[in-house]
Amino acid sequence: MNHILLTTDENFAQHCGVCIVSLLKNNPQSEFAITVAAMGLSELSQVRLHQCVDAFTNGTLKLVEFAEEALEPFPQIGGYRKNIYLRLWVDEFFAPDVERVLYLDVDTLVVDSIEELFTDNAQDFVVGAVDIPFADSHNRCHLPLEYGYFNSGVLLFNVARWRTEHCRDQLLDFLIKNQDIALNPDQDALNGVFYRDRVVLDSIYNVITPYFRRTDYRKLGDQELDRIRRDAKIIHFNGLARPWFYSCNHPYQRKYFEYLELTPWREFTPPDKSFYTLIKKRLRVLLGKESFIQLSNIKGV
Ligand SMILES: [Mn+2]
């Protein structure tokens, strides 16, 4: 049984449902116990999330209503909502014998088997995560240059160590000391505190948006770029690349809408959907102005 954590609010409930469907559909050989922690999720969204899981035979769902008071000591930084910190309570959402949990941002799609994340024997880590290439956040996070800076949208938690080493308290301490500089609050804190205790996951487990832009990561070399695009297992629509906006030209937008069809949110229409947006979108490609690459072979059933 593989354990998964997602956190959401009412605004992202639909994307949470899409993410869950992508996970269950593309991992038919694996079984998942999914926990969704949320604050203020409507009755309707709760029912719908259950329907997403019930449509498959390889998953169960536990919904946890998170008590907001627990967030009080955590600083509110920049424009971020405090619910970004919910993932840090991973130890409280699962039974004491659960040792490993995969956290997924709800703006991700799982497009291939992720079983390997749960079957390897690595124990010597607090968290597993994927590097952000060319990140310039080292000074800010007091991070030695020889360590990579990771994205916190996909996190493999060693919950056993999370419990015994009081990791959440260590992060709170970092955040309070660095609240003026921690631009990406949870991510900076996780990097700043656990860089020595991180296992580096292959980039295919968190393929962030720049990988699908034509020029952003060119310095990685064609071979590595092609490999990551071809072998992608988890797509992360981070930054401004929101596939639920019609104007978005991310190559995996099509998959988002395919999985959306399998959820009770299938009636959703993007707020910016219009003939005008369609023409603009097509023109950007025709005129060579589109920053996203066009991919004909994308992953996911
Ligand atoms: Mn994200």
Side-chain angles (χ1 to χ4, degrees):
M1 180 63 75
N2 301 331
H3 294 89
I4 301 282
L5 172 65
L6 298 126
T7 67
T8 188
D9 58 15
E10 182 62 15
N11 291 331
F12 276 70
Q14 167 185 318
H15 315 315
C16 184
V18 173
C19 177
I20 287 173
V21 164
S22 73
L23 167 76
L24 296 176
K25 191 164 174 58
N26 288 308
N27 284 266
Q29 314 294 349
S30 309
E31 300 225 4
F32 296 97
I34 303 166
T35 293
V36 173
M39 288 190 294
L41 204 56
S42 70
E43 287 282 323
L44 178 62
S45 293
Q46 294 185 30
V47 170
R48 286 178 162 186
L49 285 177
H50 275 290
Q51 288 170 338
C52 289
V53 177
D54 292 346
F56 295 87
T57 53
N58 58 333
T60 57
L61 175 65
K62 186 177 96 173
L63 285 172
V64 178
E65 173 65 26
F66 189 83
E68 204 174 342
E69 303 86 77
L71 288 171
E72 257 163 42
F74 281 77
Q76 198 269 312
I77 294 174
Y80 287 92
R81 313 239 342 242
K82 276 196 185 184
N83 59 12
I84 54 165
Y85 296 128
L86 256 59
R87 69 198 79 178
L88 308 183
W89 271 263
V90 58
D91 52 324
E92 293 197 359
F93 300 139
F94 294 87
D97 61 326
V98 173
E99 295 193 346
R100 192 178 277 210
V101 172
L102 180 69
Y103 164 82
L104 293 172
D105 263 5
V106 291
D107 57 354
T108 62
L109 291 180
V110 179
V111 295
D112 201 352
S113 168
I114 55 167
E115 185 63 25
E116 268 182 48
L117 287 178
F118 297 92
T119 48
D120 82 88
N121 292 318
Q123 302 225 301
D124 192 21
F125 70 98
V126 167
V127 73
V130 165
D131 272 339
I132 300 178
F134 318 115
D136 57 0
S137 319
H138 289 74
N139 270 341
R140 201 176 70 226
C141 304
H142 319 297
L143 189 65
L145 271 176
E146 62 268 33
Y147 293 89
Y149 174 85
F150 58 88
N151 179 278
S152 65
V154 176
L155 297 169
L156 188 65
F157 284 108
N158 182 342
V159 199
R161 282 187 65 179
W162 199 262
R163 286 189 194 95
T164 53
E165 296 174 29
H166 306 286
C167 293
R168 186 168 52 256
D169 295 339
Q170 295 186 50
L171 293 164
L172 176 59
D173 199 46
F174 180 96
L175 283 161
I176 288 175
K177 286 190 185 125
N178 296 286
Q179 51 187 302
D180 300 332
I181 48 169
L183 296 180
N184 309 308
D186 64 304
Q187 185 168 289
D188 281 0
L190 283 158
N191 275 279
V193 178
F194 298 121
Y195 60 87
R196 277 184 242 89
D197 303 299
R198 176 185 56 132
V199 59
V200 179
L201 300 181
D202 190 322
S203 301
I204 59 176
Y205 288 106
N206 185 355
V207 187
I208 52 179
T209 301
Y211 281 104
F212 294 108
R213 297 211 195 261
R214 282 194 289 185
T215 55
D216 287 21
Y217 285 169
R218 197 176 265 165
K219 277 195 210 140
L220 288 176
D222 285 347
Q223 223 180 343
E224 177 69 348
L225 266 180
D226 287 347
R227 180 188 76 83
I228 294 167
R229 288 168 179 168
R230 182 189 65 231
D231 298 343
K233 286 176 182 283
I234 302 176
I235 308 295
H236 187 180
F237 299 109
N238 68 325
L240 299 173
R242 302 311 210 177
W244 47 88
F245 286 111
Y246 190 63
S247 57
C248 178
N249 258 338
H250 191 295
Y252 274 87
Q253 183 192 45
R254 172 159 83 68
K255 281 287 162 192
Y256 175 88
F257 282 99
E258 266 182 51
Y259 300 131
L260 180 70
E261 274 300 308
L262 303 174
T263 76
W265 283 277
R266 62 182 68 83
E267 306 293 330
F268 169 80
T269 307
D272 61 337
K273 186 165 184 177
S274 68
F275 185 64
Y276 173 69
T277 315
L278 173 70
I279 297 297
K280 252 184 26 182
K281 199 169 150 151
R282 291 282 152 79
L283 269 180
R284 278 207 319 265
V285 177
L286 280 173
L287 299 175
K289 297 237 155 79
E290 179 52 57
S291 64
F292 279 115
I293 54 163
Q294 312 295 303
L295 277 182
S296 46
N297 282 322
I298 60 174
K299 280 273 204 66
V301 293

